[in-house]
Structures are given as structure tokens and as C-alpha cells.
Amino acid sequence: QSMRIVSSSGLSDEDIERMLHDAEEYRDADTGRRELAEARNTLDGLIYTTRRSLDEYGGNLSDQDRTYLKESIQYAEQCMDLTDLEVVQAFYAATGQASTADRVILNLEYSKEGASAAAAEGLPRRVVLKTMLVAPHAPAVMYETEVRFYREIKPHVPFETPAYYGALFDPDSGQFGIVLEDLADRGVVFPNVTMPTSMGQIRSLLRNLAALHAKYWESPKLESDFAWMATPKGGGMEELFKGLVPAIMGHVEAESWRAEILEPLGRSVPDLHEDMLKIAAGPLEHGPRTLLHGDTHLGNTYLTAGDETGLLDFQLSLRGCYSRDLTYILTTALSVEERRKHERELIEFYLSEL
């Protein structure tokens, strides 16, 4: 069963100016790809109007008149005509503990001219809109960080992530929208810590991290272009992380298997948390600084053909020592035995890829 969304309001002057500014920026940065830049701005308009609709109607996606939605999207249209969109499926994040954003799968319809342009530029018939359908599931800084990562960082770094088509963040409401490819169309696999990971897949993940890290390794841009990003000393989510003990204790008390995992350590949750903060501020910061993914557990990755992999979810990106990303992926992607056996060669491989 399909559902349709309507917009009750259009683009503000500020958003229009932002879209025009982005169009100019893409035009300057992407030589020879003028049409693609304009198509991305069209999708920026789609994000904004869809975001407003979802915010207003929540789960009650109606079949009301879609005229204003089309007009808002067409305002940004230059190289293609996006005439309609269909909501295929919506996924809600029940809490901010397991997932911090909702996702909507959209089918896009183009005019005949737009369909030709879309085919020529490889733009999709189906996309995923990452957004908030009803209410925030996490602090707004997480959403802003991911939007800015896709807009300001990803276009300049060649590593595997979902194809990105547009993004906006509203600082007044904390609402956001990111339009990405639907990875299901590529048949990717989303792993977790209970699944075995091959050495080839681990090397692919390290290669992706090395591409990101090498681009901004001890770069002056860390203190200029990316001064807005958090560091382990503050900003972003760092202050919130320092006060997570009550939430962690709630999980441990509510689910007995968590307590069983911790029992052999003979340590309390507050003691473990305090040690974690000391390590994060000490050993994990003694080394070259760069731009980090920030949350490189195995659940934020995906597996493509062969042993190739990609990275997802950049809400916790920050500036810091490369070792934070490196140690996190090695400890969550490998068993203790496999990590002890291969960690030195894997670290050497990562360093060779920089």
C-alpha cells in the first residue's frame, strides 16, 4: 500500500538563498557536472517540503492536494522536472537509544524530459529520506553534524558511502532531511557483531577510514573550515556522553543478559565509564589528529559485492586522533581471538593506506 505526502508550506527566503548558494558552490567545485549540481538542489527542495509535511502530519500521511508540494519542488527545478513522489514505506525510530532518525523510502516520478535527464545523470527512481517524522530522537547537533558532513566533507573524499543527493538542516526546529540512495537496490548486507567478518572485509573498512583520515591528516582545515565540529574535549555530544551512567544502568537492570556480560569483569558500570572517559581523553588522543567518522562500530557499516564495504551514519563525526576510529572498528568487528592474532598486521595495513 502506498501513501502520499502533501506540503502545507513552501520554501522560505533563507532556504531559497541557501539552495542558490549551494548551486553556485557545486558549479564551482564540480567542473563539467552542472546538471548534477542543479539536480541536487532540486532534491534539496524536495527534502525541505517533505520534511515540513512529515513534521506536520506525522504518521497520518494523507492523500490531500499535492499542488503546493510540486510548486515548491519546481521552484528549484532547472535541469529536470520532478512531478510527483510516493511514500513506499516509513520506518520509525522508537527511541533515541537504538536509532536516532526515521527513514522514508520514496519513489520519484519525473516528466519525460526529467526522466531523460535523470537517466543521463544516474539519478534514482527510488531514494531514502533520513529525517524526523514526528519528534526529535536525539539532540539537534547530531542531525546538523550529519547534514554538514554530507554537504561539506563527503564530496571531497573518495570513500564508499551511500550516494548522496541533497540535505538541509533547520536550526530553529532541529528538523533535518538527507536524501540518499536506497542501498537495498544494490543488495547490500548490514552486518552486526554476531556475524563473522572476513579479513578482506576488515581491510576494506580500514581502507575507507584511511581515505577519510588521510584527506585531513593534521590539516589546518581542522581549526578553520571544520572548527564547528566537536572534539573529545567538548562540543557536539561529548558533554552528554559524560553523563550517560544512569541510562546505561537502566539498560543493564532492564535486560539481564547485559549484566551477565559485565559480571566476569568484576567492575561496576560507573567505574567502567570513568575509565572509558580517561582512555578517551588520554591514550586515544596521543597521536596525529584528523577528521573522524566518530562511531565506527560494525553496525554502522555495510557489505557490498565481494569483500568490499561502506560506512554509514556520520552523526557523531568529530575532530580527534585517528586511533579512536581505528580501535573502535577493530574491537567491534573481530572476536577477541581474531583481533589478537591480526591486529598488528591490520594496523600496518591501515597505515600503508594513508
Side-chain angles (χ1 to χ4, degrees):
Q1 182 179 1
S2 64
M3 299 171 284
R4 295 185 179 275
I5 307 171
V6 299
S7 175
S8 62
S9 56
L11 296 169
S12 69
D13 290 342
E14 180 182 351
D15 288 315
I16 292 170
E17 287 297 322
R18 182 184 301 170
M19 291 164 64
L20 294 175
H21 175 272
D22 283 354
E24 188 62 35
E25 180 179 350
Y26 280 122
R27 189 175 296 114
D28 292 340
D30 301 328
T31 303
R33 298 186 63 82
R34 178 174 178 273
E35 289 82 6
L36 179 56
E38 291 170 335
R40 282 177 174 171
N41 281 302
T42 299
L43 285 169
D44 275 349
L46 167 62
I47 297 169
Y48 182 87
T49 52
T50 304
R51 170 174 54 79
R52 291 289 296 271
S53 297
L54 292 170
D55 182 40
E56 193 163 331
Y57 296 109
N60 301 319
L61 303 173
S62 73
D63 287 322
Q64 300 178 32
D65 183 15
R66 295 184 301 278
T67 300
Y68 203 86
L69 172 62
K70 297 176 185 177
E71 292 176 352
S72 299
I73 295 171
Q74 289 169 352
Y75 186 92
E77 172 213 346
Q78 296 184 53
C79 71
M80 66 194 316
D81 184 8
L82 183 62
T83 60
D84 204 356
L85 63 86
E86 177 187 24
V87 176
V88 179
Q89 195 169 6
F91 299 92
Y92 297 83
T95 71
Q97 295 160 352
S99 181
T100 54
D102 303 313
R103 289 163 178 79
V104 184
I105 299 176
L106 300 172
N107 280 342
L108 307 181
E109 296 180 15
Y110 306 101
S111 68
K112 292 182 179 179
E113 295 79 9
S116 298
E121 292 293 351
L123 294 176
R125 294 290 186 173
R126 176 170 289 193
V127 296
V128 172
L129 173 64
K130 188 173 183 179
T131 188
M132 295 187 301
L133 293 175
V134 181
H137 306 298
V141 66
M142 293 180 65
Y143 305 133
E144 180 180 14
T145 295
E146 185 161 38
V147 166
R148 296 189 68 171
F149 185 96
Y150 274 109
R151 292 178 62 173
E152 301 176 26
I153 298 166
K154 179 57 188 74
H156 307 292
V157 185
F159 70 103
E160 173 65 30
T161 67
Y164 154 72
Y165 301 105
L168 282 176
F169 173 76
D170 181 0
D172 294 331
S173 66
Q175 264 286 15
F176 80 107
I178 305 173
V179 173
L180 302 166
E181 72 167 308
D182 184 0
L183 289 172
D185 290 343
R186 283 204 269 157
V188 308
V189 175
F190 299 98
N192 59 59
V193 295
T194 67
M195 299 170 56
T197 309
S198 72
M199 285 298 108
Q201 291 164 346
I202 294 296
R203 289 188 180 91
S204 175
L205 288 171
L206 296 182
R207 190 180 299 115
N208 282 321
L209 280 180
L212 173 61
H213 294 172
K215 178 71 176 181
Y216 301 107
W217 192 272
E218 294 284 28
S219 171
K221 290 186 177 182
L222 295 173
E223 303 303 327
S224 56
D225 295 18
F226 306 125
W228 55 270
M229 298 186 79
T231 72
K233 295 180 180 179
M237 295 290 291
E238 294 304 310
E239 293 304 315
L240 180 64
F241 291 152
K242 294 176 182 178
L244 280 181
V245 170
I248 297 172
M249 290 295 297
H251 284 297
V252 172
E253 293 169 359
E255 298 172 292
S256 59
W257 63 268
R258 297 180 186 271
E260 292 170 3
I261 290 175
L262 293 174
E263 185 176 1
L265 299 176
R267 304 283 304 283
S268 69
V269 168
D271 285 347
L272 290 170
H273 185 261
E274 183 179 357
D275 282 351
M276 181 200 72
L277 294 177
K278 289 178 180 178
I279 292 171
L284 288 184
E285 280 303 296
H286 291 165
R289 297 173 69 250
T290 186
L291 195 151
L292 307 177
H293 177 286
D295 196 20
T296 52
H297 62 80
L298 194 60
N300 279 340
T301 71
Y302 58 95
L303 311 178
T304 63
D307 278 340
E308 295 305 310
T309 64
L311 297 174
L312 295 166
D313 290 344
F314 300 92
Q315 295 177 342
L316 297 181
S317 294
L318 75 163
R319 299 167 290 158
C321 178
Y322 73 94
S323 61
R324 298 172 71 91
D325 275 354
L326 182 59
T327 56
Y328 199 2
I329 192 60
L330 291 179
T331 54
T332 61
L334 296 171
S335 67
V336 174
E337 293 76 15
E338 287 292 298
R339 176 177 57 78
R340 289 173 177 172
K341 181 179 179 181
H342 296 289
E343 61 185 355
R344 289 187 178 275
E345 65 181 86
L346 290 172
I347 291 172
E348 290 175 359
F349 173 80
Y350 161 82
L351 294 173
S352 72
E353 290 290 315
L354 291 172

